[in-house]
Amino acid sequence: MPEPANRFFAAASAQPPTPQELAAHRKASRHHDAWDLLPSITAPTLILHGEDDLMTPVQNARLLADRIPGAGLQVHPGGRHGFFEEFAQQVTPAVIEFFARTPAN
């Protein structure tokens, strides 16, 4: 496993979420539905996703990209749920480039 991923998982396991935090997260996830609002997003949007994410399937990213007008989508092969940490050398330049070409309002 790459060193950034090791650091991520070590930090996550050092202070695991409490049962109350897990319950709150599940409740928020279960009741959150912004599907109908997605087409009204006018901000420039870049969707980044790991192709091998087992927690949130890559198809969700594709649905978001299809639903948000003008959204960009980058799927990172081999990327899992924490791909932004595992593949920081690829992801960080993509984010910087996105912000560089996005006008500030």
Side-chain angles (χ1 to χ4, degrees):
M1 185 176 303
E3 181 54 32
N6 285 333
R7 287 194 315 268
F8 173 80
F9 290 114
S13 62
Q15 186 173 353
T18 67
Q20 295 83 2
E21 290 167 335
L22 288 172
H25 182 84
R26 282 193 301 272
K27 181 179 178 183
S29 296
R30 188 172 41 251
H31 297 291
H32 176 75
D33 183 0
W35 180 255
D36 292 336
L37 299 174
L38 295 176
S40 67
I41 293 175
T42 59
T45 304
L46 175 61
I47 299 164
L48 301 167
H49 203 88
E51 187 174 55
D52 296 335
D53 188 334
L54 298 178
M55 293 180 69
T56 308
V58 70
Q59 184 56 25
N60 288 2
R62 292 186 178 109
L63 289 170
L64 288 172
D66 287 344
R67 193 94 169 130
I68 299 171
L73 172 64
Q74 291 184 10
V75 176
H76 293 269
R80 296 173 294 182
H81 199 65
F83 77 95
F84 48 86
E85 184 75 25
E86 289 179 285
F87 296 98
Q89 291 182 349
Q90 293 86 12
V91 173
T92 302
V95 172
I96 290 170
E97 192 274 329
F98 172 75
F99 283 128
R101 64 181 163 79
T102 301
N105 290 346

